[in-house]
Amino acid sequence: MIEGTEKRRLLLQGTLILSLAALFTKILSAVYRIPFQNIVGDIGFYIYQQVYPFYGVAISLATYGFPIIISKLYAEKLSLGEKQKADRMLLPIFIGIFLLCLFFFLCINFFSSAIVTTMGDVSLKPMVTMVSFSFLLVPFISVLRGYFQGKGIMVPTAASQVGEQFIRVTLILITAIFFVNAGESLYRVGQGAIFSSVIGSFFTIIILTCFFISHNKDKLGSFFYSKVRESLPIIKTVIIQGLAICISSLTLVLFQMSDAFQILSILTKMGMPLEEAQQIKGVYDRGQPLLQLGLVLATSLSLSVVPLIASMKQKGQDITSYIILSIRISISVGAAATVGLLLIMNEVNTMLFQNADGSQVLRILVIAILLASISITISSILQGFGHIYFPAVVVLISVIVKVILNQVFIRQWGVTGAAVATVVALIFILLILLWKLYKNIPVRLLQRQFLRILFVSLCAMSFVVIVVQFIGSFLAGYFIKYRIYATLLSLVASLLGGAVFFITMLRGGIFTKEELGVLPLGEKLHYFLKNKRGEKMKSITIVGLGAGDINQLPLGVYRMLKGNRPIYLRTKEHPVVSELEQEGVTFSSFDYIYEQQDQFEDVYRAIVEELCKVAEEKDIIYAVPGHPMVAEKTVQLLIEQKEIKGYDIRLEGGQSFLDALFQSVLVDPIEGFQLLDGIDLSKEDVHPTQHIIIGQVYDQMIASHVKLELMEIFPDTYDVFIVTNAGLPNEVVKKVPLYELDHDFEVSNLTSLYVPPVKDETILYKQFSYLRQVIATLRGPNGCPWDKNQTHESLKKYLIEEAYELLEAIDEQDDDHIVEELGDVLLQVMLHAQIGEDEGYFTIDDVIESLTTKMIHRHPHVFGDVVVEDANDVVLNWQAIKEKEKGRESASVFSDIPKGLPALLYAEKIQKAAKRKGFDWQEIEPVIEKVKEELNEWLDEIKLNPTSQRVQSEFGDLLFSMVNIARFLNISSEEVLIQTSQKFKRRFGYVEEKVQESGKDFSQFTLEELDQFWIEAKEKGL
C-alpha cells in the first residue's frame, strides 16, 4: 500500500511538473514573437511566419501526437508485467515514425520550389528547405518522450520542453539582433530564426538522451532486439492515432499555413506590389501571438477539468456537470479575452508592436480566441470518450473550408477577408463538435442563467475598460511616447476589467464551491462566491403526493402545497392534482418532456435540468407521486446535484404506494419482499421465494419486457396480480396468468405488478441457490450416505470421467447430452465446494468470487483500457498477468503446468510455455524437418535393435515433434487422437457386425476379407 501510494504521489508530482512545463513553453512561444517583431519589423515578421507553420507541425508531432500514444501503449505493457516486450516495441515504432517523417522531409525538400512559388515569394526557399530538417528529429524526440511518460517519469519530458523552448527563443532573438545590426537581409534573419529552431530541437534530443542513458546504463541492448514485422499493428496504431491527435491540436497552425500560401499570392496577383503585400501580411501575423496568449489563458483552466472527466467516465460516474463546467470556463475566459482585446486593441497593438496598424483586422481575428477555446475543450472531451479521429476529420474539413473562403474573401476584402474566413471556419468546427458532444451527452450545455450572468459580467467589464480609456484620454498628452501611455492603459484596463469580470461571474452564482475546487487555485476564489456572505441558498423542497386521493395527503404537505411557492410536478397524472386544482392551486408540469424524449433516462435528466435552472432563481417545490424516496429516479438525480450545484434539497414525506399495495394484495412485508423497477428489470434481480412488487409499469412495452424476464423464471401460467389505483376508490386488482400480462388491459402510471412467492419447489429447479440447498441436503445429517462419505480425493476420478463424457457429448454435437454432462461437471464443482464449506475452509461463494476476480483482472482489454490486436495478444497478456499474480516472474515457466494432464496435452502445454520465452521456431518448415529427423532416428534405432531402450526414447521424441507440428497448425493433438480412436471404434464396430451377420468367427476370415469390411465402413462415412 505504501509503495502504491508513493507511486501515485510521484506520478501526480510528475504530471504537475509536465503541466507547468507545457504552460511555460506555450507562454514563451507566444511572447518571444513580440520582441522578435520589434527587432525585424513587420516584413521580417512576415518572413518568419510564412515558414513557421511547418515547424509548428513538426513540434506538435513530437510533443502532443506520437508521445501520447507511445506512452499509453508502453504503460499498458508495463501494467501487464511485460517490461521486455514494452522496451522491444520502441525500435519498430521509431522506424515507423522515422519513415513517415522522412517522407515529410523529402516532400518538403523536393517540392520546396513549388511551395515558395505558390506562396508568391521565391526568396523563402532556403528557409523552407531548412525547416524540413526538423521533421528528421521528430522520431528521436517522440520515442524518448513517449518512453519516459509511459514509465510515469515526467521530468525528462518537462526538461526537454523547457530546454528546447529556452534555447530556441534565446538563439532566435540573439541571431535576429546580430543579423539586423550586421545589415543582413531580413530573409537572412529568417533563416537564422529557423536554424535556431532546428538547433533547439537537436538540444532536446541531447537532453532526452542523457536522461535515457542515465536510466538504462546496463540494459541499452534490450531496446535493439525487436521484430519489426510483428510490430506492424503497433506502428500503425501509433502513426494513425498520433496524427489524429496532432491534427486536432493544430487548427490555428493549419489555418496559419493556409494564410501563408494564399494571402501574399492573392494580393500580388491582384496587382499589389510585393513589398506592400509583405508589410500587410506581417501586420496580419501580429494576431498570432495574441491568439496564442488568449488560448493559453482560456484552455489552461478549461482543460484542467478534462482529465477528471475522463477518470470519472472510466469509473462509470456521472460526468455531465463537469463537461458543462469545462465548457463554461472556456466560454467565460474566451469571451472575456475576446471582448477585452476588442475594446483595447489599439492600445495593445501599440504596446506590443510599436503602432496601431491593422487593429481593425486584428479585432476580427481575436474572435477566434473564443471559438477556438471552446472547440479545443470539446475536442479534448471527445477524445476522452474515445473519439480520437472525429475531431481530426472535422479540423481537416475546416481547413478546406478556410482555403475556399480565403480565395473568395481575400479578393473581396484583403487580409480582413482572411480574418473573416478564419472566424467562419472556426464556427463550422464548433457547430460540428457541439453536435457530436450532444450525441454523447444529450443535455443542454448552456443554461439561460449562465448566459445572463456572462452578459452582465461582460457589460461590467466593458464599462470599466471604457471608463479607464475615457480617463486615460485626458492623460495621454503627459507622456513623451504614446507607446508608454498605451502600455499603462492596456495593463490597467486589463487588470481592472478582468477583475470586475471574474468577480461578477463568481458573485452571479453560476460556479459552485465544488466546481471551483477542481480548478488550479480554485479554493482561493471561494471568498467571492455568493453564499460566502450569508445569502440564503436557493432550495428545492421535494414532497410526495401519496398513493391515493387528497384525504391521504399528510397535513404538513397539504399546507405546503397551499402556500405561495412555485410548484413543479413530474406528472399531472395523479388523483391529488385534480383535487388541488379545484382548490385553486396552480402547478407547472413536466409531462411535455415525456413527449419530447424517447428514453425514460433522458426524461428524468431533462426534468432535473429544468428544475436546477429554475432553482437558480427562486425557491421551489417539486411534487412527485407516492413518497419521494421510493421509486423516484428524478429525486436521486437531484440529490446528486446537491453535492455539485450546492442546492439546499429538502425532503417532505408522502404516503408510498407500497402501503396501499400491501393492503390491496393482503401481504405482510415482514415476510420479505422485493421492490423492482419494471423499466430496468432483469431476471437476475428476481428472488422468486419472496413477495415481488414491480413498479414503473407505465405502458404495454414495459409490461412486455417484464413478462419476458419473469418467464425465464416462472411458468407461463403462473398467476400474477395487476394492481391499478391502489388505495383509491376505483382500485382494481386483477389476477392473470403471466403469459397474458401484456394483453388487453389498461396500463397507467398508477399500475404496479405483484408476483406471489413460489410455493411449488419444482419452479425453483432453475435457481442456483436451490441447487446449493440440494447439495447441502445431500451431505446433511439426513442426506445420502454416499454423498456424505465423499472427500476431495475420492471425487477426483469422477471429475475426470465427467469431463471426458462432456467432451464426447460435444463431439457428438448433441445439445441435450451437453446440457446433461455440463450438469454432471457442475455437480462435481458443487460437491467439492460443499465439502470445503462443511470443513470450514471455503464455500461456493469463495469459488465464484475467485473466478470473477480472475476473469476481470485477466481481461484488461475488456474491463480496462488495455488495447490488444488479436487473440494471440490476449493469450500473452493472460499468461503475463497470471505470472504476476502468483509472484513467479523468476520461477520456471513450467511450474504452473499440472503433472496429471494426459500425455499429449502435457506435451502441448510444455511447448506453449517455452514459446512464451521465445524458444520456438518462427516458421513451420523447420518443424516439419524436425519430424523427419526424429522419424529417421527412430527407424535407425529399430534397424539396430528393435528391443532397445533407445527405440522407446526416439519414439517419444517423434511423438513430441508431432505434437509440435500440430500446435503450429492450431490442431489439438489430444482431441484429434480421441476423434481418430472413436472413428476406429465405429469402423471396427461395422466389421464386428458383418462378421456376426455371417454366422462365422473372426478366425475364419482372412485379413483381406476383414479389410474389405473396413473399406465398406469407410465408404459409408463411418
Side-chain angles (χ1 to χ4, degrees):
M1 177 64 73
I2 294 175
E3 181 182 356
T5 302
E6 179 65 14
K7 285 183 179 179
R8 286 191 294 272
R9 186 188 67 79
L10 292 174
L11 181 61
L12 290 172
Q13 185 182 51
T15 304
L16 177 62
I17 292 172
L18 187 59
S19 300
L20 292 175
L23 182 63
F24 173 79
T25 55
K26 286 178 181 178
I27 294 174
L28 191 59
S29 176
V31 169
Y32 85 91
R33 302 182 199 211
I34 296 168
F36 180 75
Q37 187 273 346
N38 288 185
I39 295 168
V40 301
D42 288 323
I43 293 180
F45 194 49
Y46 140 80
I47 292 170
Y48 175 68
Q49 289 292 114
Q50 286 291 97
V51 182
Y52 173 80
F54 293 100
Y55 178 77
V57 172
I59 206 66
S60 182
L61 287 172
T63 304
Y64 305 111
F66 297 136
I68 291 175
I69 303 301
I70 295 171
S71 65
K72 181 175 181 291
L73 295 174
Y74 193 90
E76 288 173 355
K77 296 296 183 186
L78 291 185
S79 69
L80 296 173
E82 298 178 352
K83 173 69 168 63
Q84 188 179 57
K85 191 172 182 179
D87 290 341
R88 290 180 177 179
M89 77 176 184
L90 294 178
L91 181 58
I93 289 174
F94 171 83
I95 294 172
I97 297 175
F98 181 81
L99 292 176
L100 176 68
C101 292
L102 179 63
F103 172 76
F104 291 153
F105 166 78
L106 293 175
C107 285
I108 295 173
N109 259 281
F110 184 78
F111 295 107
S112 59
S113 296
I115 289 172
V116 297
T117 300
T118 304
M119 287 182 172
D121 190 347
V122 294
S123 299
L124 296 172
K125 182 177 180 181
M127 293 175 62
V128 172
T129 302
M130 189 177 298
V131 80
S132 66
F133 284 92
S134 60
F135 285 91
L136 296 180
L137 306 180
V138 169
F140 299 92
I141 300 172
S142 300
V143 173
L144 289 171
R145 283 177 174 170
Y147 164 76
F148 283 116
Q149 290 170 216
K151 294 185 72 174
I153 305 173
M154 306 299 182
V155 173
T157 298
S160 68
Q161 288 181 359
V162 174
E164 173 190 28
Q165 201 66 269
F166 181 78
I167 292 169
R168 171 174 165 266
V169 168
T170 302
L171 289 177
I172 286 175
L173 296 179
I174 291 175
T175 55
I177 293 171
F178 176 79
F179 283 144
V180 169
N181 290 337
E184 296 284 351
S185 72
L186 293 176
Y187 289 99
R188 183 70 171 165
V189 176
Q191 292 173 31
I194 297 299
F195 180 75
S196 299
S197 299
V198 176
I199 292 297
S201 298
F202 182 74
F203 268 94
T204 299
I205 297 176
I206 295 176
I207 293 170
L208 290 169
T209 302
C210 291
F211 276 107
F212 183 77
I213 293 174
S214 67
H215 281 79
N216 301 279
K217 292 179 181 178
D218 303 323
K219 48 184 177 180
L220 291 175
S222 64
F223 294 92
F224 298 99
Y225 178 81
S226 56
K227 300 169 183 176
V228 176
R229 182 179 298 178
E230 294 181 4
S231 301
L232 287 178
I234 295 177
I235 296 172
K236 180 181 176 182
T237 299
V238 170
I239 290 178
I240 294 178
Q241 293 189 9
L243 286 173
I245 291 175
C246 180
I247 291 170
S248 300
S249 65
L250 280 177
T251 306
L252 292 181
V253 173
L254 294 176
F255 283 7
Q256 188 179 344
M257 184 175 287
S258 68
D259 287 334
F261 275 96
Q262 292 180 280
I263 291 178
L264 187 79
S265 175
I266 293 175
L267 291 178
T268 52
K269 286 178 181 178
M270 291 171 61
M272 184 178 292
L274 176 61
E275 186 172 345
E276 182 181 349
Q278 291 173 332
Q279 183 79 24
I280 291 174
K281 175 61 166 56
V283 171
Y284 175 83
D285 285 334
R286 294 181 184 184
Q288 298 307 321
L290 295 177
L291 291 180
Q292 203 164 345
L293 283 172
L295 283 176
V296 168
L297 181 61
T299 58
S300 61
L301 288 176
S302 63
L303 294 183
S304 66
V305 186
V306 173
L308 178 63
I309 294 173
S311 174
M312 292 177 67
K313 180 179 182 295
Q314 190 173 2
K315 295 175 182 177
Q317 299 174 345
D318 184 31
I319 56 176
T320 305
S321 59
Y322 288 98
I323 290 176
I324 294 174
L325 172 63
S326 63
I327 294 175
R328 279 183 174 182
I329 293 170
S330 63
I331 293 175
S332 301
V333 182
T338 299
V339 173
L341 285 171
L342 288 173
L343 292 171
I344 59 172
M345 181 55 73
N346 286 341
E347 292 81 3
V348 170
N349 199 4
T350 303
M351 174 183 72
L352 299 179
F353 304 111
Q354 306 179 64
N355 57 54
D357 293 350
S359 293
Q360 288 300 109
V361 175
L362 297 182
R363 281 191 173 93
I364 298 173
L365 199 57
V366 295
I367 298 174
I369 294 174
L370 172 61
L371 301 172
S373 64
I374 305 172
S375 299
I376 291 171
T377 301
I378 297 177
S379 292
S380 300
I381 294 171
L382 290 174
Q383 287 172 351
F385 284 175
H387 301 293
I388 295 176
Y389 304 112
F390 184 83
V393 172
V394 174
V395 169
L396 290 177
I397 296 174
S398 72
V399 172
I400 297 174
V401 173
K402 162 72 173 171
V403 170
I404 295 172
L405 294 178
N406 267 357
Q407 287 291 334
V408 178
F409 291 170
I410 294 175
R411 297 179 190 279
Q412 188 73 25
W413 302 309
V415 289
T416 302
V420 173
T422 295
V423 171
V424 174
L426 284 171
I427 292 174
F428 168 81
I429 294 177
L430 181 57
L431 292 176
I432 300 297
L433 292 179
L434 282 171
W435 169 81
K436 184 66 173 178
L437 183 61
Y438 183 79
K439 295 288 285 184
N440 284 270
I441 306 291
V443 296
R444 183 182 297 174
L445 296 174
L446 298 178
Q447 297 176 348
R448 190 183 307 162
Q449 175 75 357
F450 166 74
L451 295 176
R452 184 176 65 83
I453 296 299
L454 176 64
F455 177 75
V456 171
S457 301
L458 290 174
C459 288
M461 179 190 75
S462 301
F463 176 77
V464 170
V465 171
I466 292 171
V467 168
V468 170
Q469 288 177 318
F470 177 75
I471 296 174
S473 63
F474 294 101
L475 304 175
Y478 294 96
F479 292 89
I480 300 175
K481 292 185 177 181
Y482 180 77
R483 190 179 189 186
I484 297 176
Y485 159 77
T487 300
L488 289 175
L489 189 141
S490 298
L491 293 176
V492 172
S494 299
L495 291 173
L496 291 179
V500 168
F501 173 81
F502 285 109
I503 291 173
T504 307
M505 288 289 288
L506 292 173
R507 296 289 295 164
I510 59 171
F511 296 112
T512 67
K513 183 177 180 180
E514 290 76 12
E515 289 174 337
L516 292 178
V518 303
L519 301 178
L521 303 177
E523 296 85 356
K524 307 295 183 184
L525 302 175
H526 289 175
Y527 176 81
F528 298 104
L529 290 178
K530 196 169 187 178
N531 288 33
K532 187 70 183 178
R533 299 188 179 179
E535 286 95 339
K536 183 177 178 292
M537 185 183 296
K538 298 296 186 291
S539 68
I540 302 177
T541 301
I542 306 173
V543 302
L545 297 176
D549 55 24
I550 198 169
N551 295 321
Q552 301 178 26
L553 199 64
L555 181 60
V557 172
Y558 175 76
R559 288 175 175 171
M560 188 176 298
L561 292 172
K562 293 283 286 184
N564 55 8
R565 274 192 286 173
I567 301 173
Y568 292 84
L569 303 174
R570 178 167 66 78
T571 176
K572 291 180 66 175
E573 300 299 323
H574 192 280
V576 169
V577 174
S578 58
E579 296 182 63
L580 287 173
E581 281 182 321
Q582 293 175 10
E583 296 185 15
V585 179
T586 59
F587 308 92
S588 297
S589 167
F590 292 120
D591 286 297
Y592 69 92
I593 295 180
Y594 285 86
E595 303 297 327
Q596 295 176 348
Q597 304 292 341
D598 296 326
Q599 302 293 327
F600 282 108
E601 188 69 23
D602 297 334
V603 170
Y604 300 147
R605 291 196 178 279
I607 289 174
V608 170
E609 181 184 351
E610 290 298 318
L611 286 170
C612 290
K613 180 175 67 175
V614 177
E616 289 176 351
E617 301 176 356
K618 54 191 174 185
D619 297 332
I620 63 172
I621 294 175
Y622 176 49
V624 298
H627 191 283
M629 293 304 295
V630 178
E632 270 300 329
K633 182 66 174 178
T634 55
V635 175
Q636 298 302 318
L637 293 174
L638 280 171
I639 291 173
E640 290 180 11
Q641 293 296 312
K642 175 183 179 181
E643 299 299 324
I644 299 170
K645 301 286 187 181
Y647 297 127
D648 179 16
I649 303 291
R650 302 175 185 177
L651 295 170
E652 298 292 339
Q655 183 187 26
S656 165
F657 77 97
L658 291 175
D659 299 335
L661 193 142
F662 286 137
Q663 182 176 326
S664 300
V665 295
L666 303 177
V667 167
D668 185 351
I670 195 64
E671 297 173 3
F673 75 96
Q674 278 188 283
L675 175 60
L676 301 175
D677 186 345
I679 298 173
D680 300 321
L681 182 69
S682 172
K683 64 179 182 179
E684 286 78 15
D685 300 329
V686 178
H687 296 165
T689 58
Q690 293 186 328
H691 297 282
I692 300 170
I693 298 170
I694 302 175
Q696 314 273 41
V697 188
Y698 293 140
D699 53 36
Q700 256 180 314
M701 184 176 294
I702 299 175
S704 297
H705 165 69
V706 170
K707 180 185 79 171
L708 293 174
E709 291 296 321
L710 293 179
M711 286 172 65
E712 293 290 327
I713 300 172
F714 302 95
D716 297 353
T717 57
Y718 195 78
D719 288 335
V720 298
F721 295 84
I722 302 168
V723 183
T724 305
N725 300 326
L728 294 175
N730 59 342
E731 171 186 285
V732 177
V733 179
K734 184 178 181 180
K735 182 171 75 171
V736 296
L738 180 57
Y739 72 89
E740 291 185 1
L741 177 59
D742 58 345
H743 289 192
D744 296 331
F745 68 93
E746 185 179 352
V747 183
S748 72
N749 65 325
L750 296 178
T751 297
S752 300
L753 181 68
Y754 168 65
V755 183
V758 167
K759 302 300 182 183
D760 181 0
E761 289 191 353
T762 60
I763 298 175
L764 300 176
Y765 286 1
K766 289 183 179 181
Q767 301 297 307
F768 182 78
S769 58
Y770 193 77
L771 170 63
R772 187 173 180 178
Q773 292 177 23
V774 169
I775 302 300
T777 302
L778 289 173
R779 283 187 52 83
N782 300 319
C784 172
W786 185 90
D787 289 295
K788 290 194 289 184
N789 289 336
Q790 298 310 306
T791 64
H792 292 306
E793 290 74 19
S794 68
L795 288 172
K796 286 167 57 178
K797 60 182 179 181
Y798 299 112
L799 180 57
I800 295 174
E801 288 176 9
E802 300 300 351
Y804 276 103
E805 289 176 11
L806 173 60
L807 293 177
E808 183 179 355
I810 293 172
D811 291 336
E812 293 171 354
Q813 299 183 358
D814 185 338
D815 289 340
D816 292 335
H817 195 190
I818 290 173
V819 169
E820 179 186 351
E821 296 303 335
L822 279 172
D824 291 342
V825 173
L826 178 58
L827 171 61
Q828 298 302 312
V829 175
M830 298 300 294
L831 285 171
H832 281 285
Q834 189 61 46
I835 292 170
E837 185 171 352
D838 293 342
E839 295 175 350
Y841 291 114
F842 64 89
T843 69
I844 190 64
D845 299 323
D846 298 315
V847 175
I848 294 172
E849 180 186 19
S850 174
L851 176 61
T852 304
T853 302
K854 180 192 296 184
M855 290 300 99
I856 291 175
H857 189 216
R858 295 190 186 178
H859 290 81
H861 55 288
V862 177
F863 301 103
D865 56 0
V866 172
V867 177
V868 294
E869 297 294 335
D870 50 33
N872 290 331
D873 270 1
V874 174
V875 174
L876 293 174
N877 288 347
W878 176 284
Q879 193 60 35
I881 296 170
K882 181 178 178 181
E883 291 179 1
K884 189 174 182 181
E885 287 173 350
K886 297 180 181 295
R888 294 180 179 173
E889 291 86 343
S890 59
S892 171
V893 71
F894 306 122
S895 58
D896 285 331
I897 301 176
K899 297 182 178 62
L901 290 175
L904 293 177
L905 184 57
Y906 186 66
E908 184 178 324
K909 290 280 188 182
I910 286 177
Q911 292 169 2
K912 287 183 177 179
K915 178 183 179 180
R916 289 196 297 272
K917 296 298 184 182
F919 191 76
D920 195 17
W921 280 295
Q922 300 301 312
E923 308 291 341
I924 196 171
E925 286 76 13
V927 186
I928 297 173
E929 292 302 318
K930 186 64 177 177
V931 172
K932 294 178 180 178
E933 175 190 325
E934 297 296 348
L935 176 61
N936 291 330
E937 290 179 0
W938 180 58
L939 294 174
D940 291 342
E941 291 296 332
I942 292 176
K943 292 177 183 178
L944 291 174
N945 186 357
T947 60
S948 71
Q949 184 68 29
R950 291 286 302 167
V951 173
Q952 296 183 36
S953 176
E954 292 297 338
F955 185 68
D957 292 345
L958 177 59
L959 283 178
F960 194 82
S961 63
M962 290 299 296
V963 171
N964 201 25
I965 198 170
R967 180 179 59 83
F968 255 84
L969 297 172
N970 291 321
I971 296 172
S972 170
S973 304
E974 187 74 24
E975 290 183 12
V976 296
L977 186 56
I978 290 174
Q979 292 168 5
T980 299
S981 300
Q982 291 173 342
K983 180 170 61 178
F984 182 89
K985 179 181 174 183
R986 291 193 302 272
R987 292 178 180 175
F988 192 77
Y990 180 83
V991 174
E992 287 181 315
E993 290 176 6
K994 287 297 183 180
V995 170
Q996 189 175 2
E997 289 175 3
S998 68
K1000 299 179 182 180
D1001 190 74
F1002 262 90
S1003 60
Q1004 295 176 276
F1005 286 87
T1006 65
L1007 181 60
E1008 289 75 14
E1009 291 173 328
L1010 294 174
D1011 192 51
Q1012 186 59 42
F1013 292 149
W1014 181 274
I1015 294 173
E1016 290 179 14
K1018 188 175 181 180
E1019 290 175 348
K1020 289 179 179 293
L1022 297 177

